Amino acid sequence: KSEIALFKKYLPWGVILFGRNIKNYNQLKDLIFSIKKLTKDKYYPILIDEEGGEVSRLKNIINNKLFSQKYFGDIYEVDSKIGIGLYKLYINELCAILNSLGININTVPVLDKLYNRTNFFLKNRVYSSKMKTILSLSKVCVSTYKKNKISTVIKHIPGHGLARADSHKSLPVINKNISFLLKNDFKCFKNI
């Protein structure tokens, strides 16, 4: 009742769903339907953080644990054509599930660059240390979601891959000059 009152009074811009909001497919579909009915907007922003790998909010619905961005980055680096084909297939299948549920925004891709020093919590969530891999797969990701009428939110922030600290637990400090960051980390986020 308090959440319904909050929606009626303030109408937030959108809602992001987390694992704690998701019991099963039917429960989630009903929840999203009720939110859209309450907001009187069939296009109301319903976000999810479904990266695959370790970050899977839909784990009660699908097993997405294997399919991290690093997984697809590794395949791409062995054979780019096969890597792109498999990645598009994966995204199309995931989009079919998201569309059937009523989710219209996924917070992907992760565009942080992998370094030897990248904190463990981020290592499997990024495509690669190679710029070509990051740029190619991120464009495939965004365009494939767009074709499926699902928006994306790129993340996290240029330089995040250089962090030794887990940014969920402490404030990371990056000691690289702006020239290095522009040629490397910022480039990952440009023209996607």
Side-chain angles (χ1 to χ4, degrees), residues 174-191:
I174 306 303
N175 293 314
K176 290 287 186 182
N177 64 42
I178 192 70
S179 176
F180 177 89
L181 290 170
L182 288 171
K183 282 187 231 171
N184 292 282
D185 300 76
F186 277 83
K187 193 173 178 183
C188 299
F189 287 78
K190 198 169 181 156
N191 301 321

Side-chain angles (χ1 to χ4, degrees), residues 87-177:
Y87 196 38
K88 283 181 179 179
L89 177 65
Y90 162 77
I91 294 172
N92 283 322
E93 292 300 317
L94 181 57
C95 285
I97 295 167
L98 298 177
N99 279 322
S100 73
L101 287 164
I103 295 168
N104 49 24
I105 304 172
N106 193 7
T107 59
V108 294
V110 176
L111 299 183
D112 305 308
K113 188 174 181 189
L114 180 64
Y115 291 94
N116 289 335
R117 67 182 285 163
T118 300
N119 189 282
F120 182 76
F121 92 95
L122 192 58
K123 279 193 184 271
N124 285 325
R125 296 172 61 194
V126 300
Y127 292 117
S128 177
S129 60
K130 296 177 181 168
M131 189 65 63
K132 182 181 178 192
T133 304
I134 297 166
L135 295 175
S136 295
L137 291 180
S138 62
K139 287 177 183 175
V140 167
C141 179
V142 171
S143 67
T144 306
Y145 273 97
K146 187 176 183 180
K147 285 178 186 170
N148 283 281
K149 300 187 180 345
I150 295 177
S151 297
T152 57
V153 177
I154 62 173
K155 57 187 184 181
H156 291 99
I157 188 167
H160 197 228
L162 288 163
R164 291 182 189 235
D166 180 342
S167 58
H168 297 93
K169 298 177 182 174
S170 61
L171 180 65
V173 176
I174 306 303
N175 293 314
K176 290 287 186 182
N177 64 42

Side-chain angles (χ1 to χ4, degrees), residues 20-32:
R20 66 181 174 266
N21 306 118
I22 303 166
K23 293 180 183 146
N24 59 54
Y25 180 89
N26 289 330
Q27 171 270 332
L28 180 56
K29 190 168 176 136
D30 290 345
L31 173 63
I32 292 168

